[in-house]
């Protein structure tokens, strides 16, 4: 890189990448630690969850109630029984017992197709609700199943009764009408015997159906055993760690685009004088005069003339005007007449007139060099002192130096304004640093 030419953002060296990574590690580590701490605090504040599990053995359905191929018959499987376990009547009974509304969000149902066992687990932050939840569900389920089996048994008995009534009607129709003979009598006896046998079979089946028990099953495990646990206790800390790390990367990226130290300024504008000053100073004002020596030497070397004092890309503030006053005091301490003029009080595209009989310097504070008025002022004065802060974007400083070179102005130095300091450096470790 040639001396005197400002660095480009896209021509950064490997050491600059390593420097950005080193500085970013602190931000990433701190943010990740804060995120993990918040996650741990969230986990601690999360209420414990109580679990209650109840298992029920589903009995086989009598074949006469669940016979394949019969009209109106219903084939029972473990899946249909699992659906009954989470049916609306069961959920309504559980709501009344637990006092909770969204019952499905508290449930975990296990129904393996090759088994006859249904296992329901009820989770709740209320221990009593957890105890009642699973027990109420299995109890209500068995009641519903018993009621359904009894209703199907009664329907079966009624259906058999209708079949017997139909057979009796057929039996009555076997009466011989008209003249009878030996053939008709033999046929009548055979028909009546066959119908009577069918009636007897239906009556026997009806008695068997009436006496068969509609046994729904039994509870193998009552949901009274509970245990407290945290829901995914490691998820909030890990999430906080990851989110905090991502936030740290974002902060590190933003910081990498800003001017943090005097070394960053020296790297971006090599060959220029760099002075570090506090925005607010607590102590004797005279101690700041010698801090300007790297810049005052260059300003004194140009002789009488005007110097623009401005930030790279924004309107000047009190900090910039204070810096101009300090530079003026430093010049006067070296015997040079100096005064500060704000650009807003001057006519457009003009600079203050100089006294030809005295060597004097006029410091003009104006808009950022990259703006149109600032570029014109830089071209008129021919000399620029840039004022930056640690929050100034690196690209803004580089663009300002390039712009000054385009309009034929010379950058006499760059002033890095920090926050505040006292003479012994208690508020800021690097008080009044300077590098050339």
């Amino acid at each position: 890189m040639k001396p005197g030419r400002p660095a480009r953002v896209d021509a950064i060296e490997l050491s600059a990448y390593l420097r950005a990574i080193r500085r970013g590690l602190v931000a990433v580590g701190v943010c990740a630690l804060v995120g993990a701490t918040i996650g741990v605090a969230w986990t601690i504040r999360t209420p414990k969850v109580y679990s209650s599990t109840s298992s029920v053995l589903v009995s086989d359905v009598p074949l006469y109630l669940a016979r394949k191929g019969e009209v109106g018959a219903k084939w029972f499987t473990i899946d249909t029984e699992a659906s009954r376990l989470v049916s609306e009547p069961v959920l309504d009974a559980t709501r009344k017992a637990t006092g909770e509304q969204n019952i499905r969000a508290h449930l975990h149902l296990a129904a393996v197709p090759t088994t006859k066992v249904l296992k329901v687990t009820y989770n709740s932050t209320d221990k009593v609700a957890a105890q009642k939840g699973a027990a109420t569900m299995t109890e209500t389920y068995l009641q519903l199943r018993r009621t359904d089996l009894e209703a199907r048994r009664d329907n079966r008995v009624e259906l058999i009764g209708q079949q017997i009534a139909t057979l009796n009607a057929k039996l009555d129709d076997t009466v011989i009408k008209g003249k009878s003979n030996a053939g008709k009598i033999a046929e009548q006896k055979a028909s009546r015997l066959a119908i009577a046998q069918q009636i007897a079979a239906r009556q026997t089946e009806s008695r068997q159906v009436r006496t068969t028990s509609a046994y729904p099953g039994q509870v193998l495990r009552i949901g009274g055993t509970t245990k407290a646990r945290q829901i995914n206790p490691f998820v909030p800390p890990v999430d906080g760690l990851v989110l905090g790390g991502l936030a740290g990367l974002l902060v590190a990226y933003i910081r990498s685009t800003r001017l943090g130290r005097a070394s960053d300024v020296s790297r971006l504008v090599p060959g220029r004088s760099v002075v570090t000053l506090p925005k607010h100073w607590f102590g004797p004002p005279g101690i700041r005069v010698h801090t300007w020596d790297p810049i005052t030497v260059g300003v004194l070397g140009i002789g009488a003339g005007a110097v623009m004092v401005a930030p790279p890309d924004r309107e000047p503030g009190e900090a910039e005007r204070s810096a101009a006053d300090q530079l003026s005091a430093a010049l006067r301490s070296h015997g040079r007449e100096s005064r500060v003029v704000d650009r807003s009080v001057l006519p457009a595209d003009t600079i203050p007139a100089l006294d030809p009989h005295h060597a004097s310097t006029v410091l003009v504070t104006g808009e950022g060099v990259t703006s149109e008025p600032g570029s014109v002022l830089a071209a008129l004065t021919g000399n620029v002192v840039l004022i930056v802060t640690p929050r100034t974007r690196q690209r803004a400083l580089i663009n300002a130096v390039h712009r000054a070179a385009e309009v034929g102005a010379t950058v006499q130095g760059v002033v890095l304004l920090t926050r505040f300091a006292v003479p012994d450096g208690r508020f800021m470790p690097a008080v009044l640093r300077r590098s050339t």
Side-chain angles (χ1 to χ4, degrees):
M1 186 180 293
K2 296 182 179 181
R5 175 175 293 181
R8 290 170 44 188
V9 174
D10 55 356
I12 202 165
E13 299 178 354
L14 178 60
S15 59
Y17 286 108
L18 296 177
R19 187 184 307 108
I21 294 174
R22 185 177 65 254
R23 293 180 183 177
L25 286 178
V26 177
V28 173
V30 171
C31 292
L33 181 60
V34 172
T37 303
I38 295 175
V40 171
W42 181 273
T43 302
I44 294 175
R45 290 180 58 87
T46 302
K48 293 182 179 180
V49 175
Y50 296 90
S51 298
S52 177
T53 301
S54 184
S55 302
V56 60
L57 175 63
V58 181
S59 65
D60 292 330
V61 179
L63 293 179
Y64 60 82
L65 297 184
R67 187 177 300 158
K68 281 186 177 181
E70 286 193 0
V71 180
K74 180 180 179 182
W75 186 253
F76 289 88
T77 64
I78 197 67
D79 292 329
T80 60
E81 296 306 315
S83 300
R84 192 202 302 272
L85 186 55
V86 292
S87 61
E88 206 51 44
V90 176
L91 297 181
D92 287 339
T94 309
R95 291 189 187 98
K96 295 178 181 178
T98 61
E100 297 175 333
Q101 297 302 317
N102 190 10
I103 302 300
R104 292 182 182 272
H106 300 269
L107 292 180
H108 176 72
L109 182 62
V112 183
T114 57
T115 67
K116 299 179 182 179
V117 177
L118 290 174
K119 183 172 68 173
V120 57
T121 301
Y122 192 90
N123 302 313
S124 177
T125 55
D126 186 354
K127 185 176 182 179
V128 177
Q131 292 176 344
K132 292 181 178 180
T136 302
M137 292 192 69
T138 53
E139 180 182 353
T140 307
Y141 159 75
L142 291 177
Q143 292 177 355
L144 289 177
R145 192 164 191 260
R146 179 183 291 276
T147 302
D148 182 72
L149 294 178
E150 290 176 349
R152 294 181 65 82
R153 182 183 60 186
D154 295 340
N155 291 337
R156 183 66 178 175
V157 171
E158 182 179 357
L159 177 62
I160 295 173
Q162 294 175 357
Q163 293 174 353
I164 292 175
T166 302
L167 291 174
N168 286 327
K170 289 183 177 181
L171 186 62
D172 294 338
D173 292 337
T174 59
V175 177
I176 299 176
K177 297 180 180 179
K179 188 177 180 180
S180 61
N181 53 42
K184 289 184 178 180
I185 294 175
E187 180 182 358
Q188 178 189 32
K189 289 182 178 180
S191 298
R192 292 180 66 85
L193 178 60
I195 294 175
Q197 290 176 348
Q198 293 179 16
I199 293 175
R202 294 293 184 275
Q203 290 176 342
T204 301
E205 181 182 359
S206 178
R207 287 193 297 269
Q208 290 176 349
V209 170
R210 288 194 184 94
T211 58
T212 301
S213 174
Y215 176 64
Q218 66 179 4
V219 177
L220 300 179
R221 178 182 177 185
I222 301 176
T225 303
T226 61
K227 59 180 180 178
R229 62 181 176 87
Q230 294 283 353
I231 298 179
N232 299 325
F234 296 104
V235 171
V238 173
D239 287 347
L241 184 68
V242 174
L243 294 178
L246 293 177
L249 289 175
L250 179 60
V251 172
Y253 170 74
I254 295 176
R255 290 183 59 187
S256 66
T257 62
R258 308 285 178 172
L259 296 174
R261 305 175 183 176
S263 59
D264 295 332
V265 181
S266 300
R267 176 176 54 83
L268 294 175
V269 285
R272 304 301 197 280
S273 298
V274 180
V275 172
T276 303
L277 290 175
K279 288 183 180 180
H280 309 288
W281 176 263
F282 303 95
I287 198 171
R288 289 173 289 180
V289 172
H290 301 293
T291 307
W292 287 90
D293 287 350
I295 294 180
T296 53
V297 170
V299 174
L300 291 173
I302 65 177
V307 178
M308 177 182 179
V309 180
D313 59 349
R314 59 181 178 82
E315 292 282 344
E318 291 300 325
E320 287 75 17
R321 295 185 177 91
S322 176
D325 292 336
Q326 293 184 38
L327 177 57
S328 178
L331 292 173
R332 290 194 298 270
S333 69
H334 289 278
R336 172 68 62 85
E337 292 186 6
S338 177
R339 58 195 177 97
V340 180
V341 178
D342 194 275
R343 177 68 179 82
S344 61
V345 302
L346 298 175
D349 300 336
T350 60
I351 58 175
L354 301 176
D355 189 350
H357 303 290
H358 297 86
S360 62
T361 301
V362 179
L363 304 177
V364 183
T365 57
E367 296 182 31
V369 179
T370 55
S371 65
E372 187 64 27
S375 300
V376 174
L377 182 60
L380 293 175
T381 58
N383 296 279
V384 178
V385 174
L386 294 173
I387 310 297
V388 297
T389 67
R391 297 177 61 85
T392 302
R393 295 180 296 110
Q394 296 183 11
R395 183 175 291 274
L397 175 59
I398 294 174
N399 291 339
V401 175
H402 279 295
R403 186 60 175 168
E406 290 175 355
V407 299
T410 302
V411 178
Q412 296 296 332
V414 181
V415 180
L416 177 62
L417 296 179
T418 57
R419 296 187 63 183
F420 50 79
V422 294
D424 59 2
R426 289 175 301 176
F427 285 83
M428 180 177 180
V431 176
L432 299 181
R433 292 178 300 180
R434 65 187 182 190
S435 59
T436 59

